[in-house]
Amino acid sequence: MKKLIHTIFLVTGTSIGAGLIALPMTVVNLGCGAFIGVIAIMVWLAYQSSYMTSQLNVANKAPASIVELSRQHGGNVLFAVTLGSFYLLFFGLLTVYFSCMADTIGTFCGLSKTASVVLCGCGLLLLLNMQTRAFSNLNSVFVLMLLAVIAVAVISIKHMPETVTKEVSCGTDEWIKMVPILFTSFGVQGSCAYFCSYLNNDLKRLKTAFWVGLSIPAVIYFLWTLCCLKTAMSYDAEFFQRLQAHEVSVGELIRFLCESSSLPTMGVFLKLLTLFAVLTSTIGVALGLLQPLQAFLPQSVAKSALCFVPVLINLTVAEAFLKVLSFGGMMLAILAILVPYKLLTPMGVQKTFAHRLCFIGGIVVVACELWSVVG
């Protein structure tokens, strides 16, 4: 039972991350009903794709990353596509997470960006070298702290007066840009090999962990996004209009929420929220990337590369937050849906209607990102 709880917390912590910042900026023009509907669809897609990848691990009789499964059971073309997508996605996500954590740490401690980013790399290396039991316990503590901070944030702004009426205007182009970001916000599939190993390939417990672990962030995303938008509508109509026009940066949004809060300490809570949300996601993504790196690199080298390649990228490249997340959505759809679907038959797993429906969902995510890039 304890392992199941730890897995649920790991799924929740991995899922809750940059979506807390990205969703208020991307779904601002959606109505409440449409937002609930699209969140429900993304939860189902994330659950089904995670379960499909777990089925492949069980059929393989040993936990393996999607890269290793593709190498063993797919052709050369499929393996090349999988390998390229895998590293583009996970190192890109780690780069974004390091950037967010570094900004938060820098704000708290007054450190430079270089020092903050290096501190993130060293901290992740320390976490990855902990014993499995200690690591699981610590991750669960991080997730509980995250949930507590979110609860304080939601309670503190739920009674704010609404002085501006929101006008919903969400065109086709906006939907196309929104879909990959929403899918990325529930990304846990890369860590399925770790989940399978931790729960001894028990599909029943894995299904429970995925359903519960993904439902928690769905509720949190919904409540948090509504609270953020209600704050913007209540306190600054001009800022809300800029938010609707997608002209607000991540830093501006966090700064606005801190300054407009009714509680003097709310700014600290929001910074903690950002830090723990991104930290828990970083841990989950790192676990998903560590196993395939160790397949061809010594363990110490794999851990060092995992922790410090994002540091180097952050120090040399200026990342575009939403663009990276959107591109990550396409890479995640390839890795978590299209590739596993192609491997079902070669690995002896019977395809179901849910598998086929999930495959269509993956095609839609990829098509949306390609259309967005071309357009």
Side-chain angles (χ1 to χ4, degrees):
M1 185 64 181
K2 184 180 291 186
K3 281 192 172 185
L4 176 60
I5 293 174
H6 284 320
T7 305
I8 289 172
F9 280 143
L10 188 55
V11 171
T12 297
T14 303
S15 180
I16 300 175
L20 280 175
I21 303 169
L23 290 188
M25 301 170 66
T26 54
V27 305
V28 58
N29 293 321
L30 274 185
C32 186
F35 187 32
I36 292 175
V38 76
I39 284 287
I41 291 172
M42 291 304 164
V43 168
W44 182 86
L45 202 58
Y47 163 79
Q48 189 59 49
S49 55
S50 299
Y51 183 61
M52 182 164 57
T53 303
S54 298
Q55 286 179 294
L56 294 178
N57 272 270
V58 173
N60 193 56
K61 294 183 171 46
S65 70
I66 193 64
V67 175
E68 182 63 20
L69 293 175
S70 176
R71 186 186 68 81
Q72 293 179 5
H73 304 282
N76 292 332
V77 174
L78 185 64
F79 174 62
V81 170
T82 306
L83 189 64
S85 301
F86 187 88
Y87 289 114
L88 282 173
L89 169 65
F90 281 87
F91 276 114
L93 288 178
L94 284 176
T95 299
V96 171
Y97 294 156
F98 273 36
S99 177
C100 289
M101 285 194 294
D103 287 343
T104 305
I105 293 172
T107 302
F108 265 128
C109 308
L111 297 177
S112 65
K113 179 180 179 180
T114 300
S116 298
V117 172
V118 172
L119 182 62
C120 291
C122 294
L124 181 58
L125 184 62
L126 179 64
L127 287 173
L128 292 177
N129 280 291
M130 295 178 67
Q131 295 294 325
T132 301
R133 178 177 296 180
F135 174 82
S136 297
N137 289 333
L138 185 60
N139 179 76
S140 296
V141 170
F142 285 155
V143 175
L144 287 172
M145 293 177 71
L146 169 63
L147 297 178
V149 171
I150 290 174
V152 172
V154 170
I155 292 171
S156 69
I157 60 181
K158 70 176 183 178
H159 296 301
M160 288 181 176
E162 193 169 307
T163 58
V164 181
T165 301
K166 180 179 181 291
E167 295 181 3
V168 178
S169 177
C170 191
T172 303
D173 289 343
E174 195 162 352
W175 272 102
I176 289 173
K177 293 177 181 178
M178 189 188 309
V179 168
I181 294 174
L182 284 165
F183 183 62
T184 312
S185 298
F186 289 94
V188 298
Q189 299 88 340
S191 301
C192 284
Y194 181 84
F195 301 150
C196 290
S197 175
Y198 194 65
L199 293 180
N200 300 316
N201 282 344
D202 188 335
L203 281 175
K204 184 178 180 180
R205 288 198 295 172
L206 283 165
K207 290 175 71 172
T208 301
F210 289 138
W211 267 126
V212 178
L214 289 168
S215 296
I216 293 172
V219 174
I220 289 172
Y221 278 152
F222 178 74
L223 293 176
W224 172 249
T225 301
L226 289 187
C227 288
C228 289
L229 298 182
K230 187 173 183 179
T231 303
M233 287 190 290
S234 300
Y235 281 89
D236 193 333
E238 182 180 352
F239 179 85
F240 183 72
Q241 289 172 357
R242 289 182 57 221
L243 195 61
Q244 286 185 301
H246 306 295
E247 297 173 351
V248 175
S249 67
V250 173
E252 286 179 303
L253 178 60
I254 296 297
R255 189 182 308 114
F256 173 81
L257 293 173
C258 291
E259 293 173 352
S260 62
S261 172
S262 58
L263 293 178
T265 57
M266 195 58 210
V268 176
F269 279 113
L270 287 170
K271 291 169 186 174
L272 285 173
L273 187 152
T274 304
L275 180 62
F276 282 111
V278 177
L279 177 60
T280 52
S281 272
T282 301
I283 291 172
V285 169
L287 289 174
L289 187 52
L290 181 59
Q291 189 165 359
L293 283 176
Q294 289 180 160
F296 62 90
L297 290 174
Q299 187 180 64
S300 59
V301 177
K303 290 180 178 178
S304 298
L306 183 62
C307 297
F308 294 109
V309 167
V311 171
L312 293 175
I313 297 175
N314 262 298
L315 296 180
T316 56
V317 179
E319 295 289 343
F321 182 73
L322 291 179
K323 288 183 178 179
V324 171
L325 286 179
S326 183
F327 178 76
M330 180 174 70
M331 295 295 102
L332 182 61
I334 293 172
L335 284 170
I337 299 178
L338 305 189
V339 172
Y341 183 82
K342 293 290 290 184
L343 290 174
L344 288 174
T345 300
M347 295 187 65
V349 179
Q350 186 175 2
K351 291 179 180 178
T352 64
F353 176 74
H355 290 144
R356 295 183 176 89
L357 198 59
C358 185
F359 178 75
I360 294 173
I363 292 293
V364 171
V365 174
V366 173
C368 285
E369 176 60 16
L370 290 176
W371 183 274
S372 181
V373 171
V374 172

